[in-house]
Amino acid sequence: MKRHDVVVVGGGVVGAATALALSREGFDVALIEKGAAPAPWKAEHYDARVYALSPGTARFLETCGVWSRIAAQRASPYTRMQVWEGTALQSLTFDAAELAVPQLGHIVEDSLLRATLWSALGNAAMTGVQVKHLALESGRARLQLSNGEMVGAELVVAAEGADSPLREWAGIDVGGWAYPQRSIVCNVTTEKPHRGIACQRFMPGGPLAFLPLADGRSSIVWSTDTAEAEELMALPDAEFRERLAEAFQRHLGAITAADKRVAFPLRLLHAQSYVATGLALVGDAAHVIHPMAGQGLNLGLADVEALVAVLV
């Protein structure tokens, strides 16, 4: 049986960051990912999936040795945030200048984060392998893998997402509900420049956010009730762009182009405990929240930072 200090299950952004942060602190860490390793990042491709990373998250990624690489490749800083309901003329504004900081945060693509974290991991990852069974005994963990191997660890970290099998095997209950909403995401080109300002309008069906991208486009996250989301997804491109411009009150003028739309259901989930004997939950395995405030990944990486501090 192969033995490690820590085995991290799940190779998304949170799982890869966990493995990297612990490795840099001298722990013997293995990362198990059921899928393939992420493809090398390509600058000519823009992800539809982006995150608004807080300054605290950027500082944590710097301690992992990857933030400067991410920022040098493509991270779009936003210096202001404008939020309104009825009209943008009566909006709540947050300004980096008023806080005497260079920016409020950065918009970064999922593919860039994953590729950079995995590149820094080296040979710590096992791909194309699933955990078939977990045994937690006497403060230690044993994992049976789909390739027939057995792996032992002092601690297993579950980072395999909201439907975590490890959490279920450990008997940790969850609470939560499904929202009667879906979020539509895509990247759009607008008539007017975004000027590095993140905007969000609150409507009866849910919030609509425009996040500034480095190439001058915006990433939109439109959360609305399920029926309207299905209607919007079915619209021809030109009609969708017109509906989007209207919903955003033409704050950035016309929507002149839009990438392929993707929609996903929204839910809330909270584990009753983040730990069991020999197991810790991080990221979506521990909690899933509405994307309204853009804090899901920031919370997940805060989990990692706290866990690493405790183990150190």
Side-chain angles (χ1 to χ4, degrees):
M1 184 190 300
K2 295 180 180 178
R3 296 188 182 276
H4 303 275
D5 295 329
V6 182
V7 171
V8 180
V9 181
V13 173
V14 172
T18 305
L20 180 60
L22 288 172
S23 295
R24 288 176 63 88
E25 292 291 349
F27 291 92
D28 175 10
V29 182
L31 174 65
I32 298 173
E33 164 56 39
K34 66 180 180 181
W41 182 72
K42 295 181 179 179
E44 62 270 20
H45 172 73
Y46 251 95
D47 252 6
R49 186 176 187 180
V50 302
Y51 305 107
L53 301 185
S54 70
T57 293
R59 287 191 294 270
F60 170 64
L61 291 173
E62 186 59 45
T63 67
C64 294
V66 295
W67 176 249
S68 57
R69 291 168 56 189
I70 292 167
Q73 292 178 94
R74 191 156 67 206
S76 177
Y78 57 98
T79 55
R80 292 178 63 198
M81 191 169 186
Q82 190 173 357
V83 182
W84 72 92
E85 184 175 8
T87 169
L89 297 176
Q90 297 175 317
S91 62
L92 178 64
T93 301
F94 304 90
D95 197 320
E98 292 181 1
L99 301 172
V101 295
Q103 62 272 319
L104 297 177
H106 292 81
I107 308 300
V108 182
E109 298 152 76
D110 176 77
S111 60
L112 175 55
L113 283 168
R114 289 193 71 212
T116 307
L117 288 165
W118 273 70
S119 175
L121 274 173
N123 298 320
M126 300 172 61
T127 59
V129 180
Q130 291 182 267
V131 178
K132 305 300 289 185
H133 181 70
L134 169 68
L136 300 171
E137 300 170 352
S138 304
R140 293 190 179 187
R142 288 187 294 110
L143 300 100
Q144 181 181 341
L145 307 183
S146 57
N147 63 1
E149 292 185 19
M150 295 287 290
V151 178
E154 297 293 317
L155 177 69
V156 175
V157 179
E160 356 89 287
D163 298 315
S164 166
L166 293 177
R167 184 188 65 221
E168 184 176 345
W169 291 339
I172 298 176
D173 291 332
V174 298
W177 54 78
Y179 292 103
Q181 290 182 313
R182 292 185 182 178
S183 277
I184 297 172
V185 298
C186 67
N187 297 330
V188 302
T189 304
T190 55
E191 182 181 9
K192 299 177 183 178
H194 57 59
R195 296 179 296 148
I197 302 173
C199 297
Q200 189 170 41
R201 183 191 174 203
F202 284 83
M203 298 178 292
L208 168 61
F210 273 62
L211 307 175
L213 297 178
D215 67 350
R217 294 186 298 165
S218 296
S219 171
I220 68 122
V221 184
W222 190 349
S223 301
T224 187
D225 64 75
T226 302
E228 184 178 27
E230 291 175 350
E231 178 193 353
L232 291 169
M233 288 295 293
L235 288 177
D237 183 70
E239 291 183 36
F240 173 76
R241 289 188 281 112
E242 178 60 25
R243 283 280 292 274
L244 178 61
E246 182 181 344
F248 202 50
Q249 299 177 322
R250 305 189 188 280
H251 186 65
L252 294 178
I255 310 298
T256 57
D259 288 349
K260 181 180 177 181
R261 288 159 259 163
V262 179
F264 55 91
L266 304 182
R267 64 192 291 195
L268 180 137
L269 177 147
H270 192 223
Q272 299 302 306
S273 174
Y274 291 0
V275 295
T277 301
L279 178 72
L281 311 179
V282 293
D284 285 358
H287 42 68
V288 178
I289 63 172
H290 194 288
M292 176 180 67
Q295 293 304 309
L297 183 62
N298 291 310
L299 286 172
L301 292 175
D303 293 341
V304 178
E305 189 171 17
L307 177 62
V308 172
V310 168
L311 295 180
V312 168

